[in-house]
Amino acid sequence: DAGVIQSPRHEVTEMGQEVTLRCKPISGHDYLFWYRQTMMRGLELLIYFNNNVPIDDSGMPEDRFSAKMPNASFSTLKIQPSEPRDSAVYFCASSPQSGGSGYTFGSGTRLTVV
Amino acid sequence: EDQVTQSPEALRLQEGESSSLNCSYTVSGLRGLFWYRQDPGKGPEFLFTLYSAGEEKEKERLKATLTKKESFLHITAPKPEDSATYLCAVSESGGSNYKLTFGKGTLLTVNP
C-alpha cells in the first residue's frame, strides 16, 4: 500500500488566493482526519470524517476553511481566501474502524501564504 | 488548559545514555494513549498504543508505560538514528470519538 498520499508537498501562494489541499487515504480506512501543525500550537485537529461524513469540524478555524470527502478515496481541504497566518504544515491521516493502531499520516503539505 | 503536556521540550543525549520522556494527560476517560515518532519533513509515524494503567509496550530500544495520569517513553542505550520528535496523543472514551489530541512533542537529539 502506498500509504496516505497528499498533494501538493509544497504550496506558496499570495494572500487572498484560494488554496486546495488534497488527500488520498489508505484503502479500507473508515476515518479521515485533517490536522495542522505549527511550532507554536503543535498538531491541531481541524476536521474528521467517518465513512465520508463529517463528524467533528469544531477545529476548523473559521469560515474560510472548508473540507469535503466526495468518496472513500479522496478528500480536499480548501482555504478561501488565504491569509499569512494560515502558513503551516497540513497533514491528512486515515485510520481503520478499530483505531487501535493509531492513524497513518501522510507526508504533509507545507503551505506558505505571502 | 492543555489536555496533553510533554516534557522536556528538548533532550540531548550521548549515544548509549538512557533516559525517559514524559507525557501527562488530563481527560475524563481514556480510550487510548498513543506514541508517535516524527522525523523532519515527514508525518508522524505510529509507535505504540496503551489502554490501561500498568500496561507496557516495547519496540527495539523503546518502552512505553502508562499510569492513570501519565505515560513514559523510556529509551535504552539510544543511537543517533533515534533522533526525532516524539509525540504523545490521547483519545477520550465515550461515543464515537476517535479523534486524537496531541502534545507538542519532545525533540530528542542523540549525539554519536
Side-chain angles (χ1 to χ4, degrees):
Chain A
D1 196 324
V4 176
I5 300 172
Q6 291 187 247
S7 64
R9 285 299 313 274
H10 302 276
E11 177 79 43
V12 180
T13 191
E14 291 185 348
M15 181 174 62
Q17 296 297 305
E18 177 180 296
V19 177
T20 300
L21 312 181
R22 297 173 175 79
C23 175
K24 176 179 170 55
I26 292 174
S27 176
H29 280 192
D30 299 306
Y31 287 85
L32 183 138
F33 305 83
W34 282 100
Y35 278 82
R36 176 171 69 177
Q37 187 174 41
T38 61
M39 290 292 293
M40 287 294 295
R41 301 176 68 88
L43 270 168
E44 300 175 282
L45 177 66
L46 299 176
I47 185 171
Y48 78 95
F49 296 82
N50 181 21
N51 292 324
N52 313 336
V53 176
I55 303 300
D56 185 346
D57 65 354
S58 60
M60 296 285 261
E62 47 198 274
D63 292 345
R64 298 185 297 107
F65 286 69
S66 62
K68 294 182 179 180
M69 192 165 186
N71 56 62
S73 60
F74 184 65
S75 177
T76 60
L77 178 68
K78 185 177 293 186
I79 308 172
Q80 165 64 19
S82 57
E83 296 182 3
R85 59 190 168 127
D86 301 331
S87 297
V89 181
Y90 290 80
F91 287 103
C92 175
S94 68
S95 171
Q97 183 73 19
S98 63
S101 57
Y103 303 169
T104 300
F105 281 81
S107 296
T109 295
R110 180 174 294 279
L111 173 65
T112 303
V113 184
V114 297
Chain B
E1 180 181 343
D2 289 345
Q3 286 186 302
V4 183
T5 303
Q6 293 188 245
S7 62
E9 291 185 8
L11 180 63
R12 189 178 294 272
L13 300 173
Q14 288 298 121
E15 185 172 2
E17 180 186 1
S18 301
S19 188
S20 297
L21 313 182
N22 177 263
C23 171
S24 62
Y25 62 92
T26 53
V27 294
S28 55
L30 183 70
R31 180 192 294 269
L33 185 139
F34 299 77
W35 282 99
Y36 285 81
R37 169 191 171 127
Q38 186 174 22
D39 293 299
K42 297 188 177 181
E45 177 185 348
F46 172 76
L47 292 173
F48 305 110
T49 308
L50 302 167
Y51 294 102
S52 56
E55 188 174 0
E56 298 182 353
K57 294 268 180 80
E58 285 190 66
K59 180 179 180 180
E60 295 181 355
R61 295 175 292 283
L62 301 177
K63 183 169 79 172
T65 62
L66 181 65
T67 72
K68 289 187 177 180
K69 295 182 178 181
E70 57 191 350
S71 177
F72 292 93
L73 184 65
H74 306 277
I75 304 175
T76 302
K79 299 182 177 182
E81 53 261 42
D82 295 321
S83 297
T85 296
Y86 290 86
L87 298 165
C88 169
V90 298
S91 175
E92 290 191 71
S93 58
S96 61
N97 187 357
Y98 280 88
K99 65 182 183 181
L100 296 185
T101 301
F102 283 83
K104 293 182 179 177
T106 293
L107 175 61
L108 174 66
T109 303
V110 182
N111 295 315

